[in-house]
Amino acid sequence: MTMPPTPQSAPPDTLQQTPERALSDTPTLFALLDRWVARGWLRRLDRAFTAFLHREVPDAPPLLLLAAALASHQLGRGHVCLDLAQTLATPDLALSLPPEGDSLEDPPPLPSRVMTGLDLDSWRTALTQPELVASGPGGTPLVLAGSRERPRLYLRRYWQYEQDIHTRIVERLDNDALPAEARAATDATRLRPVLDALFPQPEVADHDDAGPPLDWQKAACALAVRARFAVITGGPGTGKTTTVVRLLALLQARALSANPPAQADGEPEGPRALRIRLAAPTGKAAARLNESIAGQVATLALDGLADDAERLREAIPTEVSTLHRLLGSRPDTRRFRHHRHNPLPLDVLVVDEASMVDVGMMAALLDALPPQARLVLLGDKDQLASVEAGAVLGDLCARAEGGHYTPATAEWLVQATGQALPPATLDAEGEPLDQAIAMLRVSHRFTADSGIGQLAAAINADFEAAAKRHTIRDVLNHGYADLSHLKLANDDERGLARLAVTGSPEHFPAAGRTTTAPMGYRHFLSVMAEQRPADSAPQEAFDHWARQVLTAHGDFQLLCALRRGPWGVEGLNERVRQALEGEKLIDSQQGRQRWYAGRPVLVTKNDYGLGLMNGDIGITLEVPHPDAANSDDGRRLLRVAFPANDGTDRIKWVLPSRLQSVETVLAMTVHKSQGSEFTHAALVLPDAPNPILTRELIYTGITRARRWLTLVETGRGQLMDAAQRRVMRVSGLGG
């Protein structure tokens, strides 16, 4: 990309002698932006956007152009806008600065030096440029919103995204806008017997006079019925999918038992099942939801909910789509086939892993929903936010921990569920959005004796720094059977190789005392070698073999925080490949051959032609050459086996040459792992500080482990510092 020219050349020594001159002199500002771009602190795109504004309005003040460059840059860092007051308080956080400084000579001035003496009033005044900045609707490229004390500068598109999201959620929370029959359907006395059937009270003999503990799943299901918008949030194993399956059963049971409308000839029309669609942000997340929902629907007790239980079961969908496919993505455009003028043909939409949905996608989703349709978001509010700009689920659930349910909501829930809300969750001043959000608080996966659950809770806790360090240290030293804390030196190739190959089961306290043990990559590669059918075997045998290998591969995964460096994806992929090569588990010809049997790959971009989605994992396998069918003449070629992810156990066999957007996945970033679970996950933390190391990243990585977790600290160890650092994405949705 060629940079637009600066208006004129600035004196070469101006930046070093008087960097603050960039705030009043346009050539000096552009010289500064050029230096930041050359260093990698600012994107070329941000500089180009600033030059565009200058060409449109040549007399735009440098302070405005600087704010525009930084606002554009924030989008690449996940923020929806630029908080001017926060930027003045911590100027250097506005750029992508290296975590430990820049070792190159002659560094450009930092924002903290450039902005010396700049105050908020002066900066805000400089943004009074009607041709470029507005305070609301209009055609300007920038929007200044927020309060006088906390002004926020947006690129117009992202301001509009937030406005659309807020407006459409408020509309869906307005029950008065519902037809009379829809409002009547939320009658608590009518819901009570159905909810009692879907959530039977367990036999507990020792609860006190206050009654059994609140069933948060039942309460969440009830709350989700009340409006056309609902959020169900909770950590791993808290039952989000269980709750939503029962919610769908409830909604369909009501629809199928409703009085059918009369036809033109007076004969009643049969009751119509609701059109329900399920979606997730990535192919991997969609596949997991598909598998989970299909299993639960098949076993869900529906007797007493409908006259025809099997018809009801068939009316609960199990097929899950990606959001892009649901909306109808178009190549080379942000627009989708479905929008407000061509809405989605559905009555209920459930979106899983909603923490991964960015602000632009959420706006498009709400835009495409029919007015009377229900939207239910599922997700863990404490997980990493979307890779793109925004943290929509986190913003919406900012008050979820406290509940903030009004007395009217509490009374309605008592009538609908027979159970009272805890007093701590009541708030007479609760907002309408609070009444539509339910947080599941009991984990059925991580019990009190689970080190994974205890560590996740400790990382997520809002303790004072010293107390939090003490709590984390206690968990790591407790000796939980499912938790291993491994420390590796930077040059400990043997330790890394042992972990990758075997899973290092000897580091778990229960090693040797259980029938099963944590595994490494040797497990799936052994299955690949030992279970391979004869070349003359039928295709069904090779499909079965591929399923075995794919299942075994899910028993272990190395996770890391970064892409680059020895402890990032790039470094770990190569080091682990060498370790597996050394054990003769793979033959990659010393890395000269990109494709080899046993190479696991991750799809990094949706490929609708192949039916592969971002996040799908496949394994490269050797199969008989087509010309050698029904023989054992030894001629073989490579194919990549992917699960079909369509609710069946089909296998897709793809030629490696057809896969354009894939990468080796011996190591995977925590970001890419969202929506996945692994029997044994090894979370590898880098040896140096980095802004990407946050509490949310550590929590997300930890909770990818289903049965065993190995937490790996390298070098000096960064766990404690990362646990104190939160992702603070700037937006207007949160307040």
Side-chain angles (χ1 to χ4, degrees):
M1 179 185 206
T2 303
M3 288 189 202
T6 54
Q8 62 184 67
S9 299
D13 59 347
T14 298
L15 283 176
Q16 297 304 330
Q17 294 177 358
T18 55
E20 63 277 8
R21 185 177 170 185
L23 303 184
S24 57
D25 181 70
T26 301
T28 304
L29 172 67
F30 275 97
L32 174 66
L33 298 182
D34 289 340
R35 294 284 305 279
W36 284 351
V37 169
R39 215 63 162 205
W41 297 357
L42 192 74
R43 301 180 301 173
R44 288 175 176 267
L45 176 65
D46 309 323
R47 198 274 190 193
F49 174 64
T50 310
F52 161 76
L53 297 181
H54 177 72
R55 288 197 304 271
E56 293 296 306
V57 182
D59 62 346
L63 272 175
L64 186 155
L65 298 176
L66 173 63
L70 296 180
S72 174
H73 188 64
Q74 301 320 298
L75 294 173
R77 306 173 70 229
H79 303 295
V80 178
C81 56
L82 178 73
D83 184 321
L84 299 184
Q86 184 182 90
T87 301
L88 287 178
T90 54
D92 295 342
L93 296 183
L95 295 182
S96 299
L97 299 178
E100 293 188 312
D102 197 323
S103 61
L104 300 177
E105 295 181 0
D106 189 27
L110 293 169
S112 53
R113 188 176 173 201
V114 174
M115 297 183 189
T116 299
L118 177 62
D119 61 81
L120 186 59
D121 286 339
S122 299
W123 206 359
R124 187 174 48 238
T125 299
L127 296 177
T128 307
Q129 187 82 32
E131 298 95 330
L132 296 178
V133 185
S135 59
T140 59
L142 299 169
V143 177
L144 186 64
S147 65
R148 182 173 181 81
E149 295 75 23
R150 298 301 297 265
R152 301 187 302 270
L153 185 65
Y154 291 82
L155 272 66
R156 174 163 293 280
R157 177 190 298 134
Y158 289 87
W159 177 82
Q160 192 63 56
Y161 286 157
E162 281 197 353
Q163 297 303 303
D164 291 346
I165 291 171
H166 179 268
T167 299
R168 293 195 170 98
I169 288 178
V170 168
E171 290 172 352
R172 292 183 178 281
L173 293 174
D174 182 9
N175 281 341
D176 291 338
L178 287 172
E181 62 272 16
R183 291 199 303 273
T186 65
D187 177 36
T189 57
R190 294 171 57 186
L191 288 174
R192 176 70 182 272
V194 184
L195 286 168
D196 286 346
L198 287 168
F199 297 90
Q201 182 62 45
E203 296 291 334
V204 179
D206 57 352
H207 55 70
D208 56 28
D209 294 339
L214 175 66
D215 185 341
W216 279 105
Q217 293 183 18
K218 188 176 185 180
C221 186
L223 287 171
V225 174
R226 298 180 81 209
R228 290 167 291 159
F229 177 78
V231 179
I232 300 175
T233 185
T238 52
K240 297 184 292 293
T241 306
T242 299
T243 304
V244 82
V245 166
R246 283 156 175 74
L247 171 64
L248 298 181
L250 185 155
L251 293 173
Q252 285 290 30
R254 283 192 335 188
L256 294 175
S257 63
N259 293 325
Q263 298 184 29
D265 58 5
E267 290 296 319
E269 182 182 340
R272 181 180 68 86
L274 296 173
R275 298 168 299 170
I276 301 175
R277 295 294 304 272
L278 310 174
T282 68
K284 188 66 176 178
R288 269 198 58 219
L289 181 61
N290 186 311
E291 180 182 0
S292 177
I293 282 192
Q296 294 203 33
V297 169
T299 59
L300 184 62
L302 297 174
D303 294 337
L305 268 71
D307 295 336
D308 189 341
E310 286 313 306
R311 185 189 175 195
L312 174 57
R313 194 182 311 278
E314 291 172 1
I316 303 173
T318 58
E319 181 180 346
V320 186
S321 168
T322 64
L323 288 174
H324 282 87
R325 175 167 284 178
L326 175 77
L327 292 175
S329 62
R330 294 174 169 176
D332 304 319
T333 177
R334 295 176 181 269
R335 298 182 182 277
F336 293 97
R337 187 163 56 87
H338 288 289
H339 43 76
R340 75 182 70 181
H341 302 299
N342 180 32
L344 290 162
L346 52 77
D347 301 301
V348 181
L349 175 62
V350 175
V351 179
D352 194 22
E353 297 290 350
S355 64
M356 301 168 66
V357 181
D358 62 85
V359 66
M361 177 58 79
M362 187 63 74
L365 190 65
L366 287 163
D367 186 55
L369 284 179
Q372 300 304 324
R374 294 176 181 271
L375 174 61
V376 181
L377 302 181
L378 305 180
D380 186 343
K381 68 180 181 62
D382 297 314
Q383 277 193 29
L384 281 168
S386 58
V387 175
E388 302 297 329
V392 179
L393 186 71
D395 288 340
L396 294 176
C397 295
R399 288 158 52 94
E401 193 84 35
H404 300 280
Y405 298 115
T406 63
T409 297
E411 177 58 30
W412 184 89
L413 274 174
V414 169
Q415 296 177 23
T417 68
Q419 296 178 319
L421 287 167
T425 65
L426 303 182
D427 181 358
E429 304 298 323
E431 300 172 359
L433 178 61
D434 297 325
Q435 318 313 305
I437 296 177
M439 178 176 168
L440 305 181
R441 300 159 192 260
V442 179
S443 176
H444 304 282
R445 181 188 308 166
F446 301 135
T447 57
D449 60 352
S450 166
I452 300 173
Q454 294 298 320
L455 182 60
I459 294 292
N460 226 13
D462 289 319
F463 294 154
E464 183 270 332
K468 188 164 189 173
R469 289 173 182 268
H470 180 75
T471 302
I472 293 172
R473 195 173 294 113
D474 281 352
V475 173
L476 294 175
N477 295 333
H478 184 274
Y480 288 105
D482 60 349
L483 179 62
S484 168
H485 184 209
L486 184 60
K487 295 187 177 181
L488 295 179
N490 286 338
D491 58 353
D492 189 357
E493 294 299 323
R494 292 181 62 186
L496 174 63
R498 189 162 52 249
L499 172 64
V501 173
T502 71
S504 295
E506 67 275 7
H507 291 288
F508 284 81
R513 301 199 302 272
T514 58
T515 55
T516 58
M519 299 175 182
Y521 288 133
R522 172 182 281 158
H523 172 55
F524 96 87
L525 291 168
S526 297
V527 171
M528 181 186 75
E530 296 168 6
Q531 303 299 321
R532 188 185 187 280
D535 285 353
S536 58
Q539 182 61 45
E540 292 78 5
F542 284 92
D543 289 348
H544 178 67
W545 172 53
R547 284 191 288 272
Q548 289 179 302
V549 176
L550 286 163
T551 299
H553 178 265
D555 285 336
F556 177 72
Q557 182 64 57
L558 272 180
L559 303 176
C560 55
L562 311 175
R563 290 205 56 83
R564 296 180 176 83
W567 299 108
V569 165
E570 294 174 1
L572 283 172
N573 268 330
E574 177 58 20
R575 294 163 73 186
V576 172
R577 183 197 63 77
Q578 292 177 5
L580 298 176
E581 184 92 45
E583 293 288 324
K584 302 189 183 310
L585 294 169
I586 60 172
D587 179 10
S588 61
Q589 297 184 11
Q590 306 304 318
R592 291 191 299 272
Q593 182 175 307
R594 183 186 178 203
W595 290 99
Y596 52 87
R599 181 194 179 199
V601 294
L602 176 78
V603 177
T604 58
K605 182 187 290 186
N606 293 343
D607 187 328
Y608 294 104
L610 294 176
L612 298 176
M613 299 292 112
N614 181 13
D616 285 352
I617 292 178
I619 308 292
T620 311
L621 300 173
E622 274 191 339
V623 297
H625 194 284
D627 294 340
N630 301 318
S631 71
D632 287 300
D633 67 358
R635 284 187 295 163
R636 297 175 178 175
L637 45 73
L638 296 176
R639 292 286 187 272
V640 186
F642 291 91
N645 290 338
D646 60 359
T648 71
D649 61 356
R650 291 189 308 111
I651 296 294
K652 292 181 181 178
W653 296 92
V654 183
L655 274 169
S657 59
R658 297 190 65 191
L659 296 170
Q660 303 302 314
S661 300
V662 296
E663 60 185 28
T664 302
V665 71
L666 294 168
M668 176 193 293
T669 62
V670 174
H671 274 93
K672 287 288 188 182
S673 75
Q674 285 183 270
S676 300
E677 287 180 353
F678 308 98
T679 308
H680 175 200
L683 175 60
V684 182
L685 302 183
D687 59 342
N690 193 295
I692 203 171
L693 290 175
T694 62
R695 154 175 156 177
E696 289 82 359
L697 182 137
I698 303 297
Y699 170 82
T700 303
I702 289 170
T703 53
R704 297 311 89 202
R706 187 165 55 242
R707 186 165 182 182
W708 292 289
L709 170 71
T710 297
L711 179 66
V712 184
E713 288 196 86
T714 62
R716 293 169 292 170
Q718 299 298 322
L719 175 64
M720 296 301 181
D721 289 342
Q724 305 292 341
R725 188 183 300 119
R726 297 210 63 178
V727 173
M728 301 300 291
R729 291 205 164 173
V730 181
S731 79
L733 282 177

